[in-house]
Amino acid sequence: LQGISGRSHIAVSPPGRYAESRSGLLGALSTELGRKVTAREMLAYVAGVVSHPGFTRTFADELTTPGIRVPFTADANLFASAVALGEQVIWLHTYGETYAGDDRPAGDIRYPRGDARQPRSLTPITTMPTGVRHDAERAVVVLGDGEFGPVREEAWDYGVGGKNVIRSWVNYRKAEPGGKKTSPLDHIHVTEWDPDWPSELIVLLTVLTRLVALEPAQAELLPRILSAPVLTRKDLTVARTRWPSKPADRKPRY
């Protein structure tokens, strides 16, 4: 797990049998919570707890030291609430490819037809844009001579790893693309707006819109977890969790 600006990015290997047999964490959580906890649920729990600005604000001092400290609740109901939020987060982060469910269609993260929250192309782009900006008053993203909306200010400001997501997406698709120029090949790029890009941008805007809509619930849940009993390292050790003692222990065994 690696902390990033405003949010937390989860870098994990695909859940597999090594997760339980290697550390014993899943077995320990199952024992403490009184229910079987799967690797899929544990990943969703972490996503639900840490992937929002409230986590970074709460643990600002602790995050000055690399590594995220995940508070594991001893309350089965709070655990289930975090899992439910995390499933939505990962479903969105993977563009619907994982964690699909009754209200999360596989491969489709757009709002239902007719939902006013769904970003749309309001004005088509006819020329290669030179930049992008957000009109907060009208809640639209202005890209060249095109417009997309509605886009909340929180979605426009959404950042990962210190980079604004929307600006980074546009930066590689504008008339003069950004990025380092270390070779003559870096100066070769498309000169016409790709007709598939508006659809790609709409999906991205939808992901960001839905992610920021989850953040209030995540921010409300975190204090509840911290004020309720949490599982300490000692609790989990007694429940037969084995902790990594050297760098090699932290590498997944595929």
Side-chain angles (χ1 to χ4, degrees):
L1 302 170
Q2 179 182 4
I4 58 177
S5 63
R7 294 170 177 81
S8 296
H9 170 69
I10 305 172
V12 298
S13 302
R17 62 177 179 273
Y18 75 86
E20 183 165 7
S21 63
R22 181 165 164 73
S23 69
L25 178 59
L26 294 181
L29 290 174
S30 298
T31 298
E32 295 294 328
L33 294 173
R35 58 181 290 272
K36 180 175 176 56
V37 176
T38 66
R40 177 186 176 92
E41 289 177 319
M42 188 181 74
L43 178 59
Y45 176 87
V46 174
V49 171
V50 311
S51 64
H52 60 101
F55 178 88
T56 308
R57 289 193 298 267
T58 300
F59 294 104
D61 292 338
E62 290 82 355
L63 289 172
T64 58
T65 301
I68 294 178
R69 285 70 171 172
V70 181
F72 276 101
T73 182
D75 186 310
N77 291 326
L78 291 176
F79 184 86
S81 296
V83 168
L85 286 170
E87 288 176 340
Q88 296 182 68
V89 169
I90 300 174
W91 174 69
L92 290 167
H93 275 230
T94 60
Y95 281 37
E97 293 302 316
T98 60
Y99 286 81
D102 293 339
D103 58 343
R104 300 186 299 274
D108 182 8
I109 52 77
R110 298 196 187 201
Y111 286 99
R113 183 180 296 275
D115 194 310
R117 295 169 294 178
Q118 175 59 53
R120 297 176 293 111
S121 174
L122 305 176
T123 306
I125 297 175
T126 61
T127 60
M128 285 294 287
T130 58
V132 62
R133 64 182 178 86
H134 183 246
D135 186 327
E137 185 175 343
R138 296 189 297 132
V140 299
V141 167
V142 181
L143 180 56
D145 59 352
E147 293 185 348
F148 296 80
V151 178
R152 295 170 52 180
E153 192 165 2
E154 299 92 335
W156 165 255
D157 290 334
Y158 200 100
V160 174
K163 293 185 177 181
N164 179 277
V165 172
I166 297 174
R167 287 197 186 98
S168 295
W169 187 92
V170 172
N171 198 37
Y172 291 98
R173 295 168 177 83
K174 60 184 182 180
E176 291 293 333
K180 295 182 179 179
K181 302 294 190 295
T182 59
S183 163
L185 294 176
D186 293 326
H187 295 274
I188 300 175
H189 52 80
V190 297
T191 57
E192 295 183 358
W193 183 254
D194 191 311
D196 291 332
W197 286 349
S199 294
E200 293 178 13
L201 179 55
I202 287 172
V203 172
L204 175 62
L205 295 175
T206 305
V207 167
L208 300 181
T209 298
R210 299 189 78 147
L211 284 173
V212 298
L214 290 174
E215 290 176 356
Q218 291 178 279
E220 185 274 333
L221 179 62
L222 181 59
R224 293 171 57 200
I225 289 175
L226 296 177
S227 62
V230 294
L231 299 173
T232 65
R233 182 186 180 98
K234 181 179 179 180
D235 294 332
L236 294 173
T237 300
V238 170
R240 303 182 68 180
T241 294
R242 296 187 299 279
W243 305 98
S245 59
K246 53 186 181 299
D249 294 339
R250 298 182 180 275
K251 295 181 180 180
R253 295 176 181 175
Y254 294 103

